[in-house]
């Protein structure tokens, strides 16, 4: 989110609604419509468009991560987090080492998982915290998590139809990785997860983590 004078801007992601954004930024639907003359129907906003947020304080909320991928502003300037959005929950842990986070009481992560393979451990914990899955569906194994979710009705979805909090699965060089889809910023898809970005090969919660061919799966809608 980028500061613009006395307003801020929000890049609309799939799944955003004007009413939800009004709550997130502490404003009203009427105020958002007044600040965005292009919106004629409050029930019709479009992913990829930029929304002016009136009276929002502060500057950018996104962090810069691997591959030069910026944030989506899932955590508001006031620090409020959408407890139902896994991407918003994940964003508040940006910069934390998985090796430290798994021993805290902040997420239901498994402490026994090696520090270089915490991606599924983190994603499972975030999905649990958001109430999207229960402990029985969680797994510290990417392949097992994928099997659990698909077995419970999660389906493959195109990037264009993905929503923040959907799960992104990858296979590269015989290894599996998983992150969360976090919406679009400047027309580019954003991802967040526990990635191998530390010098010693261990993982840190950061932006990015998805490249090449990946599969996005979404819960039953």
């Amino acid at each position: 989110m980028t500061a613009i004078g006395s307003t801020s801007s929000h890049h609309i992601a799939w799944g955003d609604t004007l009413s939800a954004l009004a709550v997130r930024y502490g404003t009203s639907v009427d105020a958002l419509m007044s600040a965005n003359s292009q919106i004629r129907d409050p029930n019709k906003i479009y992913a990829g468009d930029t929304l002016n947020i009136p009276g929002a304080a502060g500057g950018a909320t996104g962090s810069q991560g691997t591959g030069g991928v910026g944030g989506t502003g899932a955590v508001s300037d006031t620090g409020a987090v959408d407890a139902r959005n896994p991407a918003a929950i994940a964003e508040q842990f940006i910069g934390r080492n998985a090796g430290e986070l798994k021993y805290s009481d902040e997420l239901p992560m498994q402490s026994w998982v090696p520090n270089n393979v915490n991606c599924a451990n983190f994603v499972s914990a975030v999905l649990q915290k958001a109430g999207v899955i229960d402990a029985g569906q969680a797994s510290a194994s990417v392949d097992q998590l994928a099997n659990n979710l698909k077995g419970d009705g999660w389906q493959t979805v195109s990037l264009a139809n993905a929503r923040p909090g959907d799960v992104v699965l990858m296979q590269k060089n015989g290894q599996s990785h998983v992150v969360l889809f976090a919406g679009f910023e400047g027309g580019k898809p954003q991802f967040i997860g526990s990635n191998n970005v530390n010098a010693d090969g261990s993982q840190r919660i950061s932006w990015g983590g998805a490249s090449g061919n990946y599969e996005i799966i979404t819960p039953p809608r």
Side-chain angles (χ1 to χ4, degrees), residues 189-211:
Q190 309 296 297
F191 307 97
I192 185 172
S194 186
N195 299 309
N196 299 86
V197 296
N198 291 330
D200 63 358
S202 64
Q203 293 188 337
R204 185 171 72 244
I205 313 309
S206 59
W207 295 104
S211 61

Side-chain angles (χ1 to χ4, degrees), residues 21-37:
L21 291 173
V23 172
R24 178 187 300 179
Y25 292 107
T27 184
S28 67
V29 171
D30 287 343
L32 287 174
M33 291 189 69
S34 295
N36 296 273
S37 59

Side-chain angles (χ1 to χ4, degrees), residues 3-48:
I4 304 178
S6 61
T7 67
S8 292
S9 65
H10 172 88
H11 292 292
I12 299 171
W14 289 97
D16 280 349
T17 64
L18 211 58
S19 58
L21 291 173
V23 172
R24 178 187 300 179
Y25 292 107
T27 184
S28 67
V29 171
D30 287 343
L32 287 174
M33 291 189 69
S34 295
N36 296 273
S37 59
Q38 77 278 13
I39 300 177
R40 301 186 181 278
D41 183 340
N43 296 314
K44 292 182 179 179
I45 57 175
Y46 301 95

Side-chain angles (χ1 to χ4, degrees), residues 26-100:
T27 184
S28 67
V29 171
D30 287 343
L32 287 174
M33 291 189 69
S34 295
N36 296 273
S37 59
Q38 77 278 13
I39 300 177
R40 301 186 181 278
D41 183 340
N43 296 314
K44 292 182 179 179
I45 57 175
Y46 301 95
D49 287 352
T50 298
L51 193 69
N52 292 325
I53 309 297
T61 60
S63 302
Q64 195 72 16
T66 60
V69 178
T72 60
V75 180
S76 75
D77 290 331
T78 61
V81 176
D82 184 350
R84 297 166 299 178
N85 182 347
I89 293 172
E91 185 177 345
Q92 66 182 314
F93 297 106
I94 286 286
R96 299 280 294 277
N97 285 323
E100 173 266 324

